[in-house]
Amino acid sequence: MLPLACMDTWVYEYMVFVSTSLFLLLPFLGITASYGRVLFTVFHMRSKEGKKKAFTTCSTHLTVVTFYYAPFVYTYLRPRSLRSPTEDKILAVFYTILTPMLNPIIYSLRNKEVLGAMTRVFGSCYSTKH
């Protein structure tokens, strides 16, 4: 057991890097590239209303995808020597609690009624302070 505990972990860390690149970074780059093509197409649309709706949808989706992928990529692509247990815990909270909690909020901001209600609430808070 002692030789196993004391052996070099280079191969393990290399495999984590390779698997992270294959299973997290490549899909994220693929999603980003496909949205780049969508945004390029939307940019050339003639309808301003259609452009606005498409940009709103794409930005919402990209925000959620970024919130989902960023902590994983940051965690697993960093060398083990640069990681701290506290930072790993914070990132774990981010992608297990914060991201799922923000998901409905991000998507509901596309709803005009929700956006109007938030504007009224935050607008009244702002106007009472000044």
Side-chain angles (χ1 to χ4, degrees), residues 33-130:
S34 68
Y35 270 107
R37 288 190 58 172
V38 169
L39 291 175
F40 180 77
T41 303
V42 168
F43 184 70
H44 288 90
M45 288 174 66
R46 296 182 201 276
S47 165
K48 287 190 178 200
E49 184 66 31
K51 270 186 188 182
K52 183 180 178 185
K53 188 173 183 177
F55 278 127
T56 303
T57 301
C58 287
S59 64
T60 303
H61 290 167
L62 280 176
T63 302
V64 170
V65 166
T66 301
F67 277 159
Y68 182 75
Y69 276 101
F72 289 118
V73 170
Y74 181 75
T75 298
Y76 294 111
L77 286 181
R78 282 182 309 149
R80 194 155 183 73
S81 59
L82 297 178
R83 285 197 241 159
S84 72
T86 305
E87 199 173 49
D88 286 346
K89 287 177 189 175
I90 291 169
L91 284 168
V93 165
F94 186 83
Y95 64 76
T96 58
I97 296 172
L98 200 59
T99 300
M101 188 177 73
L102 288 175
N103 218 359
I105 295 169
I106 291 168
Y107 280 113
S108 67
L109 289 178
R110 291 176 50 204
N111 185 323
K112 290 179 184 177
E113 292 172 2
V114 172
L115 199 54
M118 285 183 63
T119 304
R120 285 191 302 273
V121 168
F122 289 124
S124 66
C125 289
Y126 181 75
S127 62
T128 59
K129 288 183 181 180
H130 290 86

